[in-house]
Amino acid sequence: MPEIIVCLKQIYDLGQIRIDTSKRPVTEGSARKISDFDKNALEEALRIKEKHGGNVLALIGGTKDAAKEALAMGADEAFIYQYTEGIDPLGTASILGAFIQTIKYDLIVCGEASIDEYLFQVGPRLAQALGIPVLTYARKMELKDGDIIVERELENRYEVSKAKLPALVTVTKEINQPRIPTLLHILGASKKKIIEMSPMKPEVGVETLRILAVEMKRKEVIVKDIEELARAILSEK
Amino acid sequence: MILVFSEDDENAFEILGKGREIADSMKSELGVISFGNDSSETFFTCGADKIYFIDIAPFPDHVVEVISNFNEQYKPDMILIGGTKLGKEVAPRIAQRLGVGCVTDCIDIDLSMEEGHLVLKRLVLGGRFLASQRLLRKPQIATIPPGRFEKKMDKTRKGEIIKIPFKPVESKVRILEIKKKAPQELKIEEADIIVAVGRGLKKKEDIKLIESLAYALGGAVGCSRSIAADLKWLPEEHWVGLSGHKVKPKLYVAIGISGQVQHIAGMRDAKTIIAINNDPNAPIFKACDYGIVGNLYEIVPKLTERLKKQV
Ligand SMILES: Cc1cc2nc3c(=O)[nH]c(=O)nc-3n(C[C@H](O)[C@H](O)[C@H](O)COP(=O)(O)OP(=O)(O)OC[C@H]3O[C@@H](n4cnc5c(N)ncnc54)[C@H](O)[C@@H]3O)c2cc1C
Ligand SMILES: Nc1ncnc2c1ncn2[C@@H]1O[C@H](COP(=O)(O)O)[C@@H](O)[C@H]1O
């Protein structure tokens, strides 16, 4: 029965991030949530478990709240660690990789990207670090005779590909609709264990010098009628 | 050396344009890796000094192996990889193997050498913020999305083709089947005029209205994520935004699109943005040059008729 690991990142609710007077982002006071595609990854892991049995371990960069949500969705165990702002995917992959190397696993599922950073990096890096095959951009996946078979969404084609377990898959938002835990599940999950990982000093490859709000310099003219709109279009065309 | 790789030729040509500037400013050489590809001469025309040619298909496992080995032999200062789906898989894998950082979807590279380093820019936090970053070790690796930089042609340029050997590695992934998507002529990044539609549209058949306007303007049809991903009224090629295609046309007409940051992130570089929306408070009106408040079903047909007379 497959041992499945899902990697989840807790992020700030992007809509709640404010901009200070020097155009820098202010995250204080913003709610935090699990990055959208990571819930798709967890959902897919749970569906595989429902079909084949096994165990789903959630490996979470974030707080207990995120762990509770993952456990309520159906994960069997949750390991958490706090990642520092500004850590890059080289660091994240080395932390996750070092931990995963100490346990037995068959399948790792990640989101294709975290929706705050949109890096598309941690999944492929982790697979590379562990020396296992990676199947990116999965819109369908299934386990069959010790292989993972995935339908990958690429620019102009879908590719059905196969790899031997252990393997890592990154999923798209379109792969499924993540379940919403019921009250019963939320209560049930309070009995499950949340384990804090010991902190590690990660390597870094990228230094962020500054983050500033993107300026929009637009005319913002509201026109009154179609004639005016047509003239604006023709003059700018 | 600055090394460029993209399996998408156009993307490679564009990156060579920027790569040439970087190589010149660093008095360095510009190389390109070509996998079983025959557009050789154009690589020179677009700025490459050297083409490293390898006669195999660019499967991810191969690309990772070839570029990692190339790094060992030639020690490039920087590796710029196409921001295609393949590129975004192999770039972090190569970076991990070499123990270095990687900047995904880099939209600009600042050559002013702030504190002696190249500064790479990318959008973060849902596309509302621009991060300036530097890569701490060599090779500096970044992916560059299609349509970002201008291709610069100089027909007089010549260069050298070097064949590189390949020790076959067994790919860990086997392709069982390839299902082609319906052939799409469209490359939305290349359109000068884009007429884009969002959830303001009530049903699939009404896309006709948008197509007529696009036709009258000689432009392509684009759409928000909802239309391509959730409703599937248009194929993915039309999808503009943070998770879709990033475009910079001369004219972008957003119809029934609310203007969420993730959509804006894909089209904010358009020269002129026009918005048609029935909600005067829609955020798109803060991101447009000209806007009209009203029902698209009334405005679009009339506008199309009006523009047909002119064009
Ligand atoms: C990680 C992530 C990535 C994303 N990436 C993208 C992306 O790449 N691209 C993208 O587009 N979105 C993306 N989104 C989704 C984005 O947040 C918005 O949900 C989406 O852009 C909304 O699409 P819309 O404007 O078509 O629909 P809505 O937000 O529903 O807007 C519809 C608009 O139409 C107007 N309208 C309704 N009826 C009419 C009418 N009769 N006449 C005129 N106007 C009318 C309404 O006033 C409204 O403003 C992403 C979201 C996430 C979380
Ligand atoms: N700090 C983290 N902790 C756990 N998983 C992560 C973390 N960061 C990224 N991931 C996983 O890697 C995927 C890709 O993230 P990214 O490379 O940041 O776009 C995410 O969808 C998660 O599955």
Side-chain angles (χ1 to χ4, degrees):
Chain A
M1 284 193 287
E3 293 288 329
I4 310 170
I5 298 173
V6 184
C7 299
L8 304 112
K9 181 182 181 191
Q10 189 187 34
I11 59 164
Y12 287 105
D13 186 329
L14 300 175
Q16 293 184 15
I17 295 178
R18 287 164 296 126
I19 302 173
D20 73 8
T21 47
S22 45
K23 304 222 172 302
R24 277 186 265 266
V26 184
T27 49
E28 271 145 49
S30 307
R32 299 182 77 185
K33 60 167 200 173
I34 296 176
S35 180
D36 299 31
F37 307 164
D38 302 3
K39 285 199 193 169
N40 298 93
L42 177 53
E43 175 65 38
E44 208 53 29
L46 296 171
R47 290 186 190 185
I48 291 175
K49 182 188 160 182
E50 279 157 11
K51 214 166 152 190
H52 300 272
N55 186 63
V56 175
L57 184 156
L59 193 46
I60 303 167
T63 63
K64 281 208 166 109
D65 288 342
K68 283 182 194 152
E69 194 179 348
L71 292 171
M73 273 180 75
D76 298 294
E77 317 165 64
F79 285 78
I80 58 172
Y81 75 97
Q82 266 311 326
Y83 65 90
T84 37
E85 295 300 322
I87 183 180
D88 80 335
L90 173 65
T92 306
S94 52
I95 293 177
L96 299 178
F99 176 79
I100 292 172
Q101 244 147 12
T102 65
I103 56 178
K104 193 186 144 317
Y105 64 93
D106 300 292
L107 178 66
I108 305 174
V109 195
C110 289
E112 61 172 1
S114 56
I115 71 155
D116 54 345
E117 293 269 12
Y118 244 81
L119 288 163
F120 295 86
Q121 288 200 30
V122 171
R125 276 185 182 268
L126 189 54
Q128 189 73 32
L130 295 167
I132 59 173
V134 56
L135 293 149
T136 44
Y137 320 112
R139 68 197 287 260
K140 281 182 198 165
M141 63 192 273
E142 90 181 291
L143 226 55
K144 212 172 170 185
D145 312 324
D147 291 330
I148 180 84
I149 298 173
V150 156
E151 185 165 316
R152 306 175 60 219
E153 164 125 33
L154 299 175
E155 280 91 351
N156 57 358
R157 63 186 189 280
Y158 301 112
E159 233 171 62
V160 183
S161 294
K162 182 170 102 168
K164 283 217 174 335
L165 297 178
L168 187 148
V169 178
T170 75
V171 304
T172 65
K173 193 171 175 50
E174 281 70 43
I175 195 166
N176 58 38
Q177 191 68 47
R179 66 194 65 186
I180 296 164
T182 62
L183 193 59
L184 207 63
H185 288 127
I186 296 171
L187 292 174
S190 59
K191 288 191 220 80
K192 297 187 201 168
K193 258 198 290 186
I194 300 173
I195 301 160
E196 275 185 58
M197 289 164 59
S198 43
M200 239 184 81
K201 196 165 161 42
E203 296 173 67
V204 266
V206 178
E207 181 191 354
T208 297
L209 304 166
R210 57 190 163 272
I211 298 180
L212 295 174
V214 184
E215 295 202 45
M216 264 292 200
K217 288 192 210 81
R218 293 284 167 190
K219 298 195 184 91
E220 296 181 38
V221 177
I222 301 295
V223 301
K224 291 280 161 285
D225 57 26
I226 288 171
E227 184 53 35
E228 245 185 277
L229 185 65
R231 273 200 237 118
I233 289 176
L234 291 168
S235 68
E236 299 287 339
K237 193 169 162 261
Chain B
M1 182 203 307
I2 310 295
L3 182 72
V4 172
F5 160 72
S6 177
E7 86 284 9
D8 170 346
D9 282 350
E10 272 307 308
N11 187 202
F13 300 153
E14 294 159 3
I15 302 173
L16 284 169
K18 190 70 189 179
R20 189 69 257 163
E21 281 177 37
I22 301 171
D24 288 343
S25 84
M26 290 173 47
K27 306 215 172 9
S28 172
E29 220 175 34
L30 182 62
V32 61
I33 291 198
S34 162
F35 283 78
N37 193 318
D38 54 11
S39 48
S40 307
E41 293 305 315
T42 326
F43 286 132
F44 295 134
T45 314
C46 291
D49 299 309
K50 290 201 170 115
I51 296 170
Y52 297 90
F53 174 78
I54 182 152
D55 196 10
I56 50 161
F59 293 128
D61 284 355
H62 292 160
V63 177
V64 171
E65 187 69 18
V66 168
I67 298 187
S68 305
N69 290 340
F70 185 95
N71 178 70
E72 213 156 280
Q73 188 173 357
Y74 294 93
K75 304 256 178 284
D77 300 291
M78 184 169 221
I79 307 177
L80 298 175
I81 294 178
T84 59
K85 291 201 166 181
L86 171 80
K88 284 199 263 196
E89 175 187 323
V90 298
R93 290 180 58 189
I94 295 165
Q96 186 69 22
R97 185 154 149 182
L98 305 178
V100 300
C102 170
V103 172
T104 305
D105 278 338
C106 169
I107 59 168
D108 202 6
I109 300 175
D110 187 345
L111 301 180
S112 61
M113 299 302 269
E114 195 177 302
E115 288 165 32
H117 292 279
L118 290 171
V119 175
L120 291 83
K121 313 247 163 119
R122 70 181 305 267
L123 293 169
V124 294
L125 300 176
R128 273 162 77 206
F129 293 87
L130 189 70
S132 298
Q133 303 183 313
R134 72 184 179 98
L135 287 151
L136 298 172
R137 284 191 291 278
K138 283 180 184 171
Q140 306 181 61
I141 301 181
T143 65
I144 315 275
R148 206 50 236 180
F149 296 119
E150 219 162 311
K151 142 169 125 182
K152 298 197 188 92
M153 312 267 275
D154 175 354
K155 288 245 165 7
T156 63
R157 292 191 62 93
K158 293 267 173 311
E160 185 189 348
I161 300 180
I162 297 159
K163 238 183 134 160
I164 48 176
F166 180 60
K167 299 183 254 25
V169 282
E170 207 188 326
S171 184
K172 288 185 180 151
V173 171
R174 251 199 38 228
I175 301 175
L176 303 178
E177 189 190 349
I178 292 178
K179 303 181 197 168
K180 283 252 178 267
K181 293 186 188 173
Q184 275 293 329
E185 293 301 309
L186 174 75
K187 266 211 172 170
I188 198 146
E189 287 89 352
E190 288 165 19
D192 270 343
I193 296 176
I194 297 172
V195 179
V197 68
R199 279 309 289 269
L201 209 66
K202 299 287 174 284
K203 47 186 202 299
K204 185 175 180 189
E205 296 72 59
D206 300 340
I207 290 199
K208 282 201 304 286
L209 293 175
I210 309 301
E211 282 168 349
S212 309
L213 178 57
Y215 186 75
L217 282 166
V221 173
C223 66
S224 68
R225 177 179 185 131
S226 330
I227 299 288
D230 306 331
L231 299 167
K232 302 203 162 41
W233 289 352
L234 282 169
E236 205 199 86
E237 285 73 13
H238 298 261
W239 164 359
V240 173
L242 187 64
S243 49
H245 296 266
K246 308 205 175 39
V247 298
K248 47 176 188 179
K250 284 205 211 108
L251 183 68
Y252 191 89
V253 186
I255 304 173
I257 292 178
S258 55
Q260 300 303 317
V261 284
Q262 295 93 349
H263 187 81
I264 306 289
M267 46 67 108
R268 66 160 32 105
D269 293 326
K271 190 167 151 284
T272 302
I273 297 173
I274 310 271
I276 303 174
N277 198 301
N278 63 2
D279 174 5
N281 297 318
I284 191 75
F285 288 124
K286 292 262 170 291
C288 74
D289 295 291
Y290 300 95
I292 186 163
V293 180
N295 183 349
L296 76 91
Y297 286 92
E298 282 167 29
I299 295 171
V300 172
K302 285 187 196 154
L303 181 65
T304 308
E305 280 316 305
R306 170 66 183 77
L307 290 169
K308 269 189 197 156
K309 284 188 211 142
Q310 282 286 333
V311 189

